[in-house]
mmCIF file of all heavy atoms in Angstrom:
data_model
loop_
_atom_site.group_PDB
_atom_site.id
_atom_site.type_symbol
_atom_site.label_atom_id
_atom_site.label_comp_id
_atom_site.label_asym_id
_atom_site.label_seq_id
_atom_site.Cartn_x
_atom_site.Cartn_y
_atom_site.Cartn_z
ATOM 1 N N LEU A 1 7.001 12.668 23.106
ATOM 2 C CA LEU A 1 7.116 11.731 24.217
ATOM 3 C C LEU A 1 6.399 10.440 23.827
ATOM 4 O O LEU A 1 5.286 10.470 23.306
ATOM 5 C CB LEU A 1 6.491 12.305 25.486
ATOM 6 C CG LEU A 1 7.254 13.434 26.176
ATOM 7 C CD1 LEU A 1 6.394 14.042 27.284
ATOM 8 C CD2 LEU A 1 8.568 12.913 26.744
ATOM 9 N N SER A 2 7.030 9.297 24.087
ATOM 10 C CA SER A 2 6.399 8.024 23.734
ATOM 11 C C SER A 2 5.140 7.770 24.558
ATOM 12 O O SER A 2 4.200 7.134 24.088
ATOM 13 C CB SER A 2 7.391 6.874 23.920
ATOM 14 O OG SER A 2 8.444 6.975 22.977
ATOM 15 N N GLU A 3 5.133 8.266 25.782
ATOM 16 C CA GLU A 3 3.955 8.128 26.640
ATOM 17 C C GLU A 3 3.495 9.517 27.078
ATOM 18 O O GLU A 3 4.211 10.225 27.774
ATOM 19 C CB GLU A 3 4.279 7.282 27.879
ATOM 20 C CG GLU A 3 4.729 5.869 27.574
ATOM 21 C CD GLU A 3 3.611 5.006 27.008
ATOM 22 O OE1 GLU A 3 2.422 5.327 27.271
ATOM 23 O OE2 GLU A 3 3.905 4.030 26.302
ATOM 24 N N ASN A 4 2.320 9.898 26.639
ATOM 25 C CA ASN A 4 1.746 11.192 27.014
ATOM 26 C C ASN A 4 0.225 11.079 26.955
ATOM 27 O O ASN A 4 -0.439 11.663 26.090
ATOM 28 C CB ASN A 4 2.250 12.280 26.066
ATOM 29 C CG ASN A 4 1.947 13.668 26.585
ATOM 30 O OD1 ASN A 4 1.279 13.832 27.605
ATOM 31 N ND2 ASN A 4 2.425 14.686 25.890
ATOM 32 N N PRO A 5 -0.353 10.261 27.864
ATOM 33 C CA PRO A 5 -1.791 9.938 27.771
ATOM 34 C C PRO A 5 -2.713 11.144 27.863
ATOM 35 O O PRO A 5 -3.844 11.083 27.383
ATOM 36 C CB PRO A 5 -2.004 8.973 28.954
ATOM 37 C CG PRO A 5 -0.857 9.231 29.880
ATOM 38 C CD PRO A 5 0.292 9.632 29.009
ATOM 39 N N GLU A 6 -2.251 12.242 28.462
ATOM 40 C CA GLU A 6 -3.114 13.429 28.528
ATOM 41 C C GLU A 6 -3.287 14.082 27.157
ATOM 42 O O GLU A 6 -4.264 14.791 26.917
ATOM 43 C CB GLU A 6 -2.537 14.464 29.507
ATOM 44 C CG GLU A 6 -2.551 14.046 30.968
ATOM 45 C CD GLU A 6 -1.371 13.160 31.318
ATOM 46 O OE1 GLU A 6 -0.417 13.085 30.500
ATOM 47 O OE2 GLU A 6 -1.404 12.538 32.395
ATOM 48 N N GLN A 7 -2.330 13.854 26.261
ATOM 49 C CA GLN A 7 -2.361 14.500 24.957
ATOM 50 C C GLN A 7 -2.758 13.558 23.819
ATOM 51 O O GLN A 7 -3.419 13.963 22.872
ATOM 52 C CB GLN A 7 -0.981 15.111 24.645
ATOM 53 C CG GLN A 7 -0.540 16.171 25.644
ATOM 54 C CD GLN A 7 -1.437 17.391 25.628
ATOM 55 O OE1 GLN A 7 -1.918 17.801 24.574
ATOM 56 N NE2 GLN A 7 -1.703 17.957 26.802
ATOM 57 N N TYR A 8 -2.310 12.296 23.883
ATOM 58 C CA TYR A 8 -2.600 11.351 22.797
ATOM 59 C C TYR A 8 -2.437 9.921 23.288
ATOM 60 O O TYR A 8 -1.781 9.654 24.293
ATOM 61 C CB TYR A 8 -1.683 11.598 21.591
ATOM 62 C CG TYR A 8 -0.226 11.834 21.946
ATOM 63 C CD1 TYR A 8 0.636 10.775 22.247
ATOM 64 C CD2 TYR A 8 0.290 13.119 21.985
ATOM 65 C CE1 TYR A 8 1.962 10.991 22.584
ATOM 66 C CE2 TYR A 8 1.619 13.362 22.315
ATOM 67 C CZ TYR A 8 2.448 12.285 22.599
ATOM 68 O OH TYR A 8 3.761 12.505 22.931
ATOM 69 N N GLU A 9 -3.067 8.990 22.548
ATOM 70 C CA GLU A 9 -3.010 7.575 22.910
ATOM 71 C C GLU A 9 -1.771 6.901 22.354
ATOM 72 O O GLU A 9 -1.194 6.012 22.989
ATOM 73 C CB GLU A 9 -4.258 6.844 22.402
ATOM 74 C CG GLU A 9 -5.540 7.264 23.096
ATOM 75 C CD GLU A 9 -6.731 6.466 22.620
ATOM 76 O OE1 GLU A 9 -6.531 5.462 21.893
ATOM 77 O OE2 GLU A 9 -7.863 6.835 22.961
ATOM 78 N N ASP A 10 -1.343 7.284 21.152
ATOM 79 C CA ASP A 10 -0.214 6.632 20.496
ATOM 80 C C ASP A 10 0.694 7.687 19.869
ATOM 81 O O ASP A 10 0.239 8.512 19.066
ATOM 82 C CB ASP A 10 -0.714 5.660 19.421
ATOM 83 C CG ASP A 10 0.429 4.903 18.771
ATOM 84 O OD1 ASP A 10 0.806 3.846 19.302
ATOM 85 O OD2 ASP A 10 0.935 5.379 17.735
ATOM 86 N N ALA A 11 1.977 7.653 20.250
ATOM 87 C CA ALA A 11 2.908 8.687 19.793
ATOM 88 C C ALA A 11 3.155 8.627 18.289
ATOM 89 O O ALA A 11 3.256 9.663 17.625
ATOM 90 C CB ALA A 11 4.229 8.562 20.545
ATOM 91 N N ALA A 12 3.271 7.419 17.733
ATOM 92 C CA ALA A 12 3.550 7.300 16.297
ATOM 93 C C ALA A 12 2.408 7.882 15.465
ATOM 94 O O ALA A 12 2.628 8.652 14.523
ATOM 95 C CB ALA A 12 3.792 5.832 15.941
ATOM 96 N N ILE A 13 1.185 7.527 15.820
ATOM 97 C CA ILE A 13 0.027 8.038 15.090
ATOM 98 C C ILE A 13 -0.099 9.547 15.276
ATOM 99 O O ILE A 13 -0.389 10.285 14.327
ATOM 100 C CB ILE A 13 -1.255 7.318 15.547
ATOM 101 C CG1 ILE A 13 -1.197 5.853 15.115
ATOM 102 C CG2 ILE A 13 -2.493 8.007 14.982
ATOM 103 C CD1 ILE A 13 -2.356 5.017 15.592
ATOM 104 N N GLN A 14 0.154 10.008 16.501
ATOM 105 C CA GLN A 14 0.069 11.452 16.750
ATOM 106 C C GLN A 14 1.124 12.198 15.948
ATOM 107 O O GLN A 14 0.879 13.303 15.441
ATOM 108 C CB GLN A 14 0.235 11.748 18.242
ATOM 109 C CG GLN A 14 0.019 13.209 18.597
ATOM 110 C CD GLN A 14 -1.390 13.677 18.278
ATOM 111 O OE1 GLN A 14 -2.356 12.938 18.485
ATOM 112 N NE2 GLN A 14 -1.517 14.899 17.768
ATOM 113 N N GLY A 15 2.326 11.616 15.837
ATOM 114 C CA GLY A 15 3.375 12.248 15.044
ATOM 115 C C GLY A 15 2.972 12.403 13.595
ATOM 116 O O GLY A 15 3.204 13.450 12.974
ATOM 117 N N ILE A 16 2.350 11.375 13.039
ATOM 118 C CA ILE A 16 1.865 11.449 11.661
ATOM 119 C C ILE A 16 0.786 12.530 11.544
ATOM 120 O O ILE A 16 0.796 13.334 10.610
ATOM 121 C CB ILE A 16 1.311 10.078 11.214
ATOM 122 C CG1 ILE A 16 2.454 9.066 11.106
ATOM 123 C CG2 ILE A 16 0.576 10.200 9.878
ATOM 124 C CD1 ILE A 16 1.992 7.649 10.819
ATOM 125 N N ARG A 17 -0.116 12.558 12.509
ATOM 126 C CA ARG A 17 -1.183 13.556 12.486
ATOM 127 C C ARG A 17 -0.605 14.968 12.561
ATOM 128 O O ARG A 17 -1.045 15.873 11.833
ATOM 129 C CB ARG A 17 -2.157 13.317 13.637
ATOM 130 C CG ARG A 17 -2.914 11.999 13.565
ATOM 131 C CD ARG A 17 -3.879 11.849 14.728
ATOM 132 N NE ARG A 17 -4.881 12.893 14.699
ATOM 133 C CZ ARG A 17 -5.982 12.855 13.955
ATOM 134 N NH1 ARG A 17 -6.214 11.796 13.197
ATOM 135 N NH2 ARG A 17 -6.841 13.843 13.971
ATOM 136 N N ASP A 18 0.396 15.160 13.434
ATOM 137 C CA ASP A 18 0.995 16.485 13.583
ATOM 138 C C ASP A 18 1.680 16.939 12.297
ATOM 139 O O ASP A 18 1.546 18.095 11.872
ATOM 140 C CB ASP A 18 2.003 16.480 14.733
ATOM 141 C CG ASP A 18 1.332 16.387 16.096
ATOM 142 O OD1 ASP A 18 0.102 16.534 16.171
ATOM 143 O OD2 ASP A 18 2.056 16.141 17.089
ATOM 144 N N VAL A 19 2.430 16.033 11.687
ATOM 145 C CA VAL A 19 3.157 16.380 10.464
ATOM 146 C C VAL A 19 2.186 16.736 9.340
ATOM 147 O O VAL A 19 2.416 17.673 8.558
ATOM 148 C CB VAL A 19 4.083 15.220 10.039
ATOM 149 C CG1 VAL A 19 4.630 15.462 8.628
ATOM 150 C CG2 VAL A 19 5.236 15.064 11.024
ATOM 151 N N LEU A 20 1.070 16.007 9.277
ATOM 152 C CA LEU A 20 0.084 16.269 8.231
ATOM 153 C C LEU A 20 -0.813 17.465 8.550
ATOM 154 O O LEU A 20 -1.605 17.891 7.716
ATOM 155 C CB LEU A 20 -0.786 15.028 8.006
ATOM 156 C CG LEU A 20 -0.075 13.808 7.428
ATOM 157 C CD1 LEU A 20 -1.038 12.633 7.332
ATOM 158 C CD2 LEU A 20 0.530 14.126 6.066
ATOM 159 N N GLY A 21 -0.687 18.006 9.781
ATOM 160 C CA GLY A 21 -1.476 19.170 10.170
ATOM 161 C C GLY A 21 -2.948 18.870 10.341
ATOM 162 O O GLY A 21 -3.807 19.725 10.054
ATOM 163 N N LEU A 22 -3.264 17.687 10.835
ATOM 164 C CA LEU A 22 -4.653 17.284 11.002
ATOM 165 C C LEU A 22 -5.227 17.844 12.302
ATOM 166 O O LEU A 22 -4.522 17.935 13.311
ATOM 167 C CB LEU A 22 -4.776 15.759 11.003
ATOM 168 C CG LEU A 22 -4.257 15.054 9.745
ATOM 169 C CD1 LEU A 22 -4.369 13.550 9.901
ATOM 170 C CD2 LEU A 22 -5.032 15.519 8.512
ATOM 171 N N THR A 23 -6.484 18.159 12.285
ATOM 172 C CA THR A 23 -7.162 18.641 13.492
ATOM 173 C C THR A 23 -7.647 17.443 14.302
ATOM 174 O O THR A 23 -7.794 16.340 13.754
ATOM 175 C CB THR A 23 -8.359 19.529 13.112
ATOM 176 O OG1 THR A 23 -9.273 18.755 12.309
ATOM 177 C CG2 THR A 23 -7.892 20.742 12.341
ATOM 178 N N PRO A 24 -7.900 17.634 15.608
ATOM 179 C CA PRO A 24 -8.385 16.527 16.432
ATOM 180 C C PRO A 24 -9.660 15.916 15.845
ATOM 181 O O PRO A 24 -10.589 16.623 15.468
ATOM 182 C CB PRO A 24 -8.661 17.192 17.786
ATOM 183 C CG PRO A 24 -7.729 18.357 17.824
ATOM 184 C CD PRO A 24 -7.666 18.850 16.408
ATOM 185 N N GLY A 25 -9.664 14.592 15.735
ATOM 186 C CA GLY A 25 -10.826 13.898 15.197
ATOM 187 C C GLY A 25 -10.809 13.723 13.690
ATOM 188 O O GLY A 25 -11.583 12.939 13.140
ATOM 189 N N GLN A 26 -9.929 14.456 13.002
ATOM 190 C CA GLN A 26 -9.867 14.344 11.545
ATOM 191 C C GLN A 26 -9.153 13.047 11.165
ATOM 192 O O GLN A 26 -8.120 12.699 11.725
ATOM 193 C CB GLN A 26 -9.120 15.545 10.958
ATOM 194 C CG GLN A 26 -9.142 15.599 9.431
ATOM 195 C CD GLN A 26 -8.451 16.849 8.907
ATOM 196 O OE1 GLN A 26 -8.044 17.721 9.683
ATOM 197 N NE2 GLN A 26 -8.321 16.955 7.599
ATOM 198 N N ALA A 27 -9.707 12.311 10.207
ATOM 199 C CA ALA A 27 -9.147 11.022 9.802
ATOM 200 C C ALA A 27 -7.831 11.204 9.048
ATOM 201 O O ALA A 27 -7.641 12.189 8.326
ATOM 202 C CB ALA A 27 -10.148 10.276 8.925
ATOM 203 N N ILE A 28 -6.928 10.240 9.227
ATOM 204 C CA ILE A 28 -5.664 10.249 8.486
ATOM 205 C C ILE A 28 -5.957 9.826 7.048
ATOM 206 O O ILE A 28 -6.543 8.763 6.819
ATOM 207 C CB ILE A 28 -4.647 9.287 9.129
ATOM 208 C CG1 ILE A 28 -4.264 9.778 10.531
ATOM 209 C CG2 ILE A 28 -3.404 9.143 8.258
ATOM 210 C CD1 ILE A 28 -3.339 8.853 11.290
ATOM 211 N N PRO A 29 -5.557 10.624 6.065
ATOM 212 C CA PRO A 29 -5.854 10.293 4.658
ATOM 213 C C PRO A 29 -4.919 9.188 4.141
ATOM 214 O O PRO A 29 -3.828 9.459 3.642
ATOM 215 C CB PRO A 29 -5.602 11.624 3.936
ATOM 216 C CG PRO A 29 -4.587 12.318 4.785
ATOM 217 C CD PRO A 29 -4.866 11.915 6.200
ATOM 218 N N GLU A 30 -5.367 7.941 4.255
ATOM 219 C CA GLU A 30 -4.522 6.808 3.880
ATOM 220 C C GLU A 30 -4.105 6.838 2.414
ATOM 221 O O GLU A 30 -3.021 6.367 2.059
ATOM 222 C CB GLU A 30 -5.259 5.498 4.176
ATOM 223 C CG GLU A 30 -5.554 5.290 5.662
ATOM 224 C CD GLU A 30 -6.293 3.993 5.921
ATOM 225 O OE1 GLU A 30 -6.320 3.142 5.002
ATOM 226 O OE2 GLU A 30 -6.843 3.826 7.015
ATOM 227 N N ASP A 31 -4.954 7.390 1.560
ATOM 228 C CA ASP A 31 -4.647 7.416 0.131
ATOM 229 C C ASP A 31 -3.494 8.361 -0.201
ATOM 230 O O ASP A 31 -2.964 8.328 -1.306
ATOM 231 C CB ASP A 31 -5.890 7.799 -0.674
ATOM 232 C CG ASP A 31 -6.435 9.175 -0.283
ATOM 233 O OD1 ASP A 31 -6.324 9.533 0.905
ATOM 234 O OD2 ASP A 31 -6.956 9.874 -1.174
ATOM 235 N N LYS A 32 -3.110 9.211 0.760
ATOM 236 C CA LYS A 32 -1.999 10.135 0.518
ATOM 237 C C LYS A 32 -0.698 9.667 1.164
ATOM 238 O O LYS A 32 0.299 10.387 1.146
ATOM 239 C CB LYS A 32 -2.362 11.521 1.043
ATOM 240 C CG LYS A 32 -3.531 12.165 0.293
ATOM 241 C CD LYS A 32 -3.807 13.579 0.778
ATOM 242 C CE LYS A 32 -4.948 14.206 -0.004
ATOM 243 N NZ LYS A 32 -5.245 15.587 0.460
ATOM 244 N N ILE A 33 -0.706 8.458 1.737
ATOM 245 C CA ILE A 33 0.490 7.929 2.405
ATOM 246 C C ILE A 33 0.997 6.715 1.649
ATOM 247 O O ILE A 33 0.276 5.734 1.450
ATOM 248 C CB ILE A 33 0.179 7.563 3.873
ATOM 249 C CG1 ILE A 33 -0.250 8.820 4.634
ATOM 250 C CG2 ILE A 33 1.387 6.922 4.530
ATOM 251 C CD1 ILE A 33 -0.658 8.566 6.061
ATOM 252 N N ASP A 34 2.254 6.784 1.234
ATOM 253 C CA ASP A 34 2.864 5.688 0.486
ATOM 254 C C ASP A 34 3.394 4.608 1.418
ATOM 255 O O ASP A 34 3.232 3.420 1.162
ATOM 256 C CB ASP A 34 4.012 6.230 -0.378
ATOM 257 C CG ASP A 34 4.758 5.111 -1.078
ATOM 258 O OD1 ASP A 34 4.111 4.320 -1.781
ATOM 259 O OD2 ASP A 34 5.992 5.009 -0.911
ATOM 260 N N ALA A 35 4.030 4.998 2.539
ATOM 261 C CA ALA A 35 4.633 4.009 3.425
ATOM 262 C C ALA A 35 4.802 4.577 4.824
ATOM 263 O O ALA A 35 5.047 5.766 4.998
ATOM 264 C CB ALA A 35 5.994 3.575 2.878
ATOM 265 N N VAL A 36 4.647 3.690 5.804
ATOM 266 C CA VAL A 36 4.965 3.998 7.198
ATOM 267 C C VAL A 36 5.850 2.860 7.690
ATOM 268 O O VAL A 36 5.425 1.708 7.718
ATOM 269 C CB VAL A 36 3.702 4.102 8.080
ATOM 270 C CG1 VAL A 36 4.105 4.342 9.535
ATOM 271 C CG2 VAL A 36 2.786 5.204 7.583
ATOM 272 N N LYS A 37 7.083 3.186 8.059
ATOM 273 C CA LYS A 37 8.017 2.162 8.532
ATOM 274 C C LYS A 37 8.466 2.527 9.940
ATOM 275 O O LYS A 37 8.857 3.665 10.180
ATOM 276 C CB LYS A 37 9.217 2.055 7.589
ATOM 277 C CG LYS A 37 8.812 1.663 6.169
ATOM 278 C CD LYS A 37 9.990 1.548 5.246
ATOM 279 C CE LYS A 37 9.536 1.164 3.850
ATOM 280 N NZ LYS A 37 10.682 1.026 2.909
ATOM 281 N N MET A 38 8.381 1.547 10.850
ATOM 282 C CA MET A 38 8.682 1.856 12.239
ATOM 283 C C MET A 38 9.606 0.813 12.843
ATOM 284 O O MET A 38 9.431 -0.376 12.653
ATOM 285 C CB MET A 38 7.391 1.950 13.057
ATOM 286 C CG MET A 38 7.634 2.381 14.493
ATOM 287 S SD MET A 38 6.115 2.843 15.377
ATOM 288 C CE MET A 38 5.424 1.227 15.676
ATOM 289 N N GLY A 39 10.592 1.303 13.574
ATOM 290 C CA GLY A 39 11.452 0.444 14.383
ATOM 291 C C GLY A 39 11.249 0.820 15.837
ATOM 292 O O GLY A 39 10.927 1.964 16.156
ATOM 293 N N THR A 40 11.403 -0.151 16.733
ATOM 294 C CA THR A 40 11.146 0.139 18.138
ATOM 295 C C THR A 40 11.998 -0.730 19.051
ATOM 296 O O THR A 40 12.353 -1.856 18.698
ATOM 297 C CB THR A 40 9.657 -0.071 18.467
ATOM 298 O OG1 THR A 40 9.445 0.209 19.849
ATOM 299 C CG2 THR A 40 9.220 -1.490 18.180
ATOM 300 N N THR A 41 12.317 -0.185 20.202
ATOM 301 C CA THR A 41 13.001 -0.944 21.248
ATOM 302 C C THR A 41 12.043 -1.266 22.385
ATOM 303 O O THR A 41 12.462 -1.816 23.400
ATOM 304 C CB THR A 41 14.189 -0.135 21.814
ATOM 305 O OG1 THR A 41 13.701 1.108 22.346
ATOM 306 C CG2 THR A 41 15.228 0.142 20.758
#
């Protein structure tokens, strides 16, 4: 869901965190990410 304030602040960042299997509070490992490309309406 693009808006789900009870679960997360930002859907795109949460999606990345979920895919990487990160625990709450764990930093996103930028050195392991080659590119993030986003389109939006």
Side-chain angles (χ1 to χ4, degrees):
L1 288 171
S2 293
E3 299 291 336
N4 193 355
E6 292 82 14
Q7 299 295 323
Y8 44 80
E9 293 183 10
D10 183 88
I13 293 176
Q14 186 62 39
I16 292 174
R17 296 181 62 83
D18 289 349
V19 169
L20 294 177
L22 302 177
T23 59
Q26 187 177 355
I28 295 176
E30 297 180 15
D31 59 327
K32 295 184 179 179
I33 298 177
D34 175 55
V36 177
K37 299 180 180 181
M38 185 168 75
T40 180
T41 59

